[in-house]
Amino acid sequence: MARNRRKTGTLGTVVCLALGAVASCRWLCPDAALMLAQSPDEATRLLQEYVRIDTSNPPGDTRKAADFLAAVLARDDIPVTRYESAEGKTIVYARLKATASPAAGKALVLLNHMDVVPADRSQWKIDPFAAEVRNGEVWGRGSFDMKGQAVAQILAFLRLKRDRVPLARDVILLAEPDEEVGGALGARWMIANHYAEIDPEYVIDEGGFGSRDLFAPGKLVYGIAVAEKKIVWLKVRAEGVAGHGSQPNDLNPNDRLVRAVGRLLASQGTPTPGERPGATSATPGAPSIVEVMKARVGAFAENKFTNAIQHSTIALTWLKSGVGDPPKINVIPSVAEAGLDCRVLPGTTRDQWIADVKRRLGDPSLKIELINESDDPLVTPQDTPLYRQLEAAIKRRHADAIVTPILIPYGTDSNAFRPRGVKSYGIFPAAIPADVASSMHGDTEHVPLAAVVEASQVLFEAVRDTMAK
């Protein structure tokens, strides 16, 4: 583990806002549009520079990204501590100390990850690491997940320092690698090796966001993530007898695997025995998260996101078979494999889920291997000062907003902190169109610059007001 601190001078000159950025303000309040029109565009500069640093995982090398973030913080005389969990896996840690003595409580952490999923350049219409600005939106891998969200956190963190905001407790900015592959060399490594240097009461991470069309038709809904589904990644393997493609046989592993996976996918939406949608709540016996959300929001919009938060899901993400490279078309292989990304509702264990997958595959000869699993989901309570301040800051901008706790269908680093009793909330507090949310991990990933600016303002206000004695 390498560790160092650096300091440099004051913030340099930043470029002015491209006029096109104001166009995306249709999703935001008038004050945000006014700020965009009048202020230096620090958000644009930071986000473009950040996206242009390729941190695709694998290999997930974050050294250049860490250099970039450390330099940004150093310009405001904020000391940075760097950790190396493995070669190329750099972690950035910065801390604003409480001005109150004694501090009112444990620290608040602004948590983000530097790594991004790979981009298939052949499917992108632009360079995924060029960070082009189009109609007020930055396009590129990681622009939304999660470098745009990270920039919003960084801007809020810098403003706490620049405005000399009185702090009743420490505020930590923590940028980590490895989230996109489970976090073993990122959040989990820090928790295992340096928890005493974090030890927070609160974490603000990715997960939720606001939207006028994703959650419910015609309603502005902000979802603050308080729990997530359990990740269970499986490999299904069929073994058979190799032979000549001109002579089909009943022991072709491809045939058996395709039929079994077809049965499994056809059963999507069938509850696992004993499963209740969104069963977990912060208080035993209380309504589930999904039930609370439905009570506040009403009827959900019909889309892949709302489907995923109500059901356990299975995505067939890869198939592997064939002999040779490229595979010979006239050879029946002896092995065929499929990768399944399963996201399981709270309340269903790993063993229950795997047993149910075996049952639905309907072929006892298939072998199932567990590739990875996340912790069993825990729920963060919403009755806390930070949750209330996040809700208040959102509603100051959007009086018509419905703010609700949500269960998210994907995994985040927050899930590593919840077992320690940390109150972890996932929120990018700006309103985004459904197409932005659905662009995560896709070949059209983009984020409105106006949303990054508004999110930074909301985060700043929520943290500032939580920090007030």
Side-chain angles (χ1 to χ4, degrees):
M1 183 274 287
R3 179 175 178 178
N4 59 67
R5 293 180 182 269
R6 302 178 185 173
K7 293 185 180 181
T8 60
T10 57
L11 183 67
T13 304
V14 296
V15 297
C16 293
L17 172 67
L19 292 177
V22 180
S24 62
C25 287
R26 67 188 186 279
W27 291 96
L28 303 174
C29 62
D31 288 346
L34 181 62
M35 178 179 177
L36 276 169
Q38 292 179 341
S39 69
D41 188 19
E42 189 174 11
T44 301
R45 177 179 62 83
L46 291 178
L47 183 52
Q48 285 190 296
E49 291 179 10
Y50 199 8
V51 170
R52 287 168 183 160
I53 302 170
D54 185 350
T55 53
S56 298
N57 197 357
D61 190 325
T62 57
R63 286 174 289 192
K64 291 182 180 179
D67 290 343
F68 166 72
L69 295 180
V72 170
L73 296 166
R75 291 182 192 124
D76 277 75
D77 294 322
I78 298 174
V80 168
T81 302
R82 298 165 63 124
Y83 304 88
E84 300 287 340
S85 58
E87 185 177 0
K89 305 291 186 179
T90 306
I91 298 164
V92 173
Y93 169 103
R95 191 175 194 123
L96 300 177
K97 297 290 291 183
T99 56
S101 182
K106 295 182 178 181
L108 182 153
V109 173
L110 296 171
L111 180 67
N112 58 82
H113 62 87
M114 294 178 278
D115 62 323
V116 301
V117 295
D120 182 353
R121 290 177 181 270
S122 69
Q123 299 302 309
W124 281 73
K125 295 181 179 179
I126 60 172
D127 182 344
F129 297 101
E132 290 187 21
V133 176
R134 295 184 174 186
N135 298 319
E137 298 175 325
V138 172
W139 288 65
R141 172 60 77 231
S143 57
F144 183 61
D145 180 17
M146 136 175 228
K147 291 178 177 179
Q149 300 181 63
V151 167
Q153 291 186 3
I154 291 164
L155 291 173
F157 189 75
L158 292 174
R159 190 173 170 191
L160 292 171
K161 173 69 160 47
R162 293 168 183 172
D163 289 3
R164 299 181 180 179
V165 172
L167 301 177
R169 62 181 79 209
D170 294 1
V171 180
I172 298 169
L173 181 74
L174 191 60
E176 299 174 315
D178 215 43
E179 190 273 347
E180 295 292 2
V181 292
L185 296 175
R188 295 179 186 279
W189 186 88
M190 282 295 291
I191 289 170
N193 293 278
H194 297 280
Y195 193 75
E197 295 166 51
I198 314 168
D199 194 18
E201 180 171 352
Y202 296 114
V203 164
I204 298 178
D205 191 11
E206 63 182 337
F209 42 81
S211 184
R212 294 186 183 274
D213 56 354
L214 182 69
F215 299 107
K219 294 180 181 178
L220 175 57
V221 177
Y222 278 75
I224 299 177
V226 297
E228 53 199 54
K229 294 167 75 175
K230 181 178 179 65
I231 296 172
V232 181
W233 291 343
L234 302 175
K235 180 171 72 175
V236 181
R237 179 182 174 96
E239 297 178 353
V241 175
H244 199 290
S246 66
Q247 303 166 56
N249 65 73
D250 293 338
L251 298 178
N252 184 333
N254 288 337
D255 295 346
R256 290 177 33 241
L257 182 65
V258 167
R259 287 194 295 266
V261 171
R263 288 190 292 268
L264 177 67
L265 297 180
S267 70
Q268 288 260 44
T270 303
T272 297
E275 178 180 273
R276 182 167 67 90
T280 299
S281 62
T283 305
S288 72
I289 305 167
V290 173
E291 289 166 345
V292 170
M293 190 177 178
K294 285 182 174 179
R296 296 189 182 186
V297 173
F300 287 164
E302 294 186 5
N303 55 54
K304 64 181 183 180
F305 185 90
T306 56
N307 174 71
I309 64 176
Q310 297 177 80
H311 305 101
S312 294
T313 59
I314 303 168
L316 173 63
T317 53
W318 55 260
L319 293 165
K320 183 179 178 182
S321 185
V323 176
D325 186 17
K328 291 286 290 181
I329 200 167
N330 63 345
V331 177
I332 296 172
S334 59
V335 173
E337 296 177 334
L340 303 177
D341 182 350
C342 307
R343 307 295 171 123
V344 184
L345 286 173
T348 300
T349 67
R350 173 200 63 197
D351 292 341
Q352 288 173 326
W353 178 254
I354 292 177
D356 195 44
V357 167
K358 287 181 178 178
R359 177 185 63 81
R360 289 196 263 170
L361 284 168
D363 186 342
S365 70
L366 299 179
K367 298 179 180 179
I368 298 179
E369 179 183 345
L370 177 67
I371 303 299
N372 181 51
E373 68 168 318
S374 64
D375 296 323
D376 289 334
L378 297 174
V379 180
T380 298
Q382 57 184 292
D383 185 21
T384 68
L386 177 57
Y387 186 99
R388 289 192 289 271
Q389 294 301 343
L390 285 165
E391 181 173 12
I394 291 166
K395 293 185 78 68
R396 276 196 295 272
R397 282 168 171 71
H398 305 285
D400 63 330
I402 300 168
V403 181
T404 179
I406 65 168
L407 169 74
I408 54 174
Y410 32 78
T412 72
D413 282 335
S414 288
N415 218 35
F417 283 90
R418 290 190 177 106
R420 298 247 179 179
V422 179
K423 303 174 183 73
S424 300
Y425 299 109
I427 182 65
F428 177 64
I432 58 173
D435 73 288
V436 173
S438 65
S439 74
M440 283 189 291
H441 292 201
D443 50 25
T444 59
E445 186 174 358
H446 59 287
V447 66
L449 286 163
V452 175
V453 172
E454 181 171 358
S456 73
Q457 294 174 313
V458 173
L459 288 173
F460 167 76
E461 292 176 15
V463 174
R464 176 198 64 194
D465 295 345
T466 304
M467 292 295 109
K469 267 263 187 177

